[in-house]
């Protein structure tokens, strides 16, 4: 199908979506063969798969080794940027909160998944209750100053010496 124009749905084609989901399922099968939770993810840009990954949490002994996070890291490396505008993430299962947030922060344009996750999806029931508290430490002001200084220096116009 080289050179052929694919039918479009918005910016994506039906064929691109089908190929992306097939690739995500292939990645999920790799995870299954390695006794990992069988979840696969691919990232598509301009109709081409630029990154693919599968869950590796057991092998890496880390909950950070989700297929989506690994795919995002690979895509960022390939494109040489931390932002993935005009990229689309395809996953075999609805992303957890961590992976959804990573997709948002990396500015992925859209996320598509095949199955809803009752345990860890958007309305997941299996999340550990976590208490997050703002400290009233005397070091708070030092932290505020450090962050403010960093972003202030980033926003100053660059001067050309000559």
């Amino acid at each position: 199908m080289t050179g052929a124009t694919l039918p479009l749905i918005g910016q994506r084609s039906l064929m691109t979506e089908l190929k992306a989901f097939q690739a995500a399922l292939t990645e999920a099968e790799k995870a299954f063969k390695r006794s990992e939770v069988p979840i696969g993810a691919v990232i598509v840009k301009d109709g081409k798969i630029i990154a693919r990954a599968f869950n590796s949490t057991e092998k890496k002994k880390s909950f950070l080794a989700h297929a989506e996070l690994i795919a995002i890291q690979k895509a960022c490396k390939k494109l040489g940027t931390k932002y993935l505008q005009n990229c689309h993430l395809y996953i075999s299962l609805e992303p957890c909160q961590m992976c959804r947030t990573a997709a948002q922060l990396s500015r992925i344009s859209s996320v598509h998944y095949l199955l809803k996750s009752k345990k860890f999806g958007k309305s997941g029931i299996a999340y550990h209750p976590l208490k997050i508290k703002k400290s009233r430490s005397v070091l708070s002001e030092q932290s505020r100053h450090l962050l403010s200084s960093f972003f202030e220096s980033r926003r100053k116009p660059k001067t050309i010496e000559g």
Side-chain angles (χ1 to χ4, degrees), residues 31-82:
F32 180 85
K33 289 176 184 173
R34 290 166 174 83
S35 298
E36 297 280 356
V37 176
I39 299 172
V42 298
I43 296 181
V44 174
K45 182 175 176 73
D46 299 326
K48 293 184 175 89
I49 295 173
I50 62 166
R52 42 181 94 223
F54 55 86
N55 266 15
S56 298
T57 58
E58 298 302 322
K59 179 184 177 196
K60 295 185 178 183
K61 306 281 188 259
S62 172
F63 281 104
L64 299 177
H66 283 203
E68 301 92 316
L69 297 182
I70 296 167
I72 288 169
Q73 289 172 338
K74 287 180 175 181
C76 288
K77 185 174 183 178
K78 181 172 181 118
L79 298 177
T81 180
K82 64 182 180 181

Side-chain angles (χ1 to χ4, degrees), residues 7-109:
L8 293 178
I9 297 178
Q11 295 286 41
R12 297 174 288 117
S13 72
L14 287 172
M15 205 58 133
T16 298
E17 185 169 275
L18 181 61
K19 286 179 181 178
F21 278 132
Q22 286 175 331
L25 283 172
T26 297
E27 294 300 308
E29 288 170 359
K30 291 176 186 177
F32 180 85
K33 289 176 184 173
R34 290 166 174 83
S35 298
E36 297 280 356
V37 176
I39 299 172
V42 298
I43 296 181
V44 174
K45 182 175 176 73
D46 299 326
K48 293 184 175 89
I49 295 173
I50 62 166
R52 42 181 94 223
F54 55 86
N55 266 15
S56 298
T57 58
E58 298 302 322
K59 179 184 177 196
K60 295 185 178 183
K61 306 281 188 259
S62 172
F63 281 104
L64 299 177
H66 283 203
E68 301 92 316
L69 297 182
I70 296 167
I72 288 169
Q73 289 172 338
K74 287 180 175 181
C76 288
K77 185 174 183 178
K78 181 172 181 118
L79 298 177
T81 180
K82 64 182 180 181
Y83 297 120
L84 299 174
Q85 286 109 334
N86 302 312
C87 290
H88 308 275
L89 175 60
Y90 292 85
I91 321 159
S92 57
L93 183 69
E94 180 182 12
C96 69
Q97 291 177 1
M98 174 178 64
C99 294
R100 182 183 303 105
T101 300
Q104 289 172 317
L105 291 173
S106 63
R107 300 187 184 166
I108 286 178
S109 298

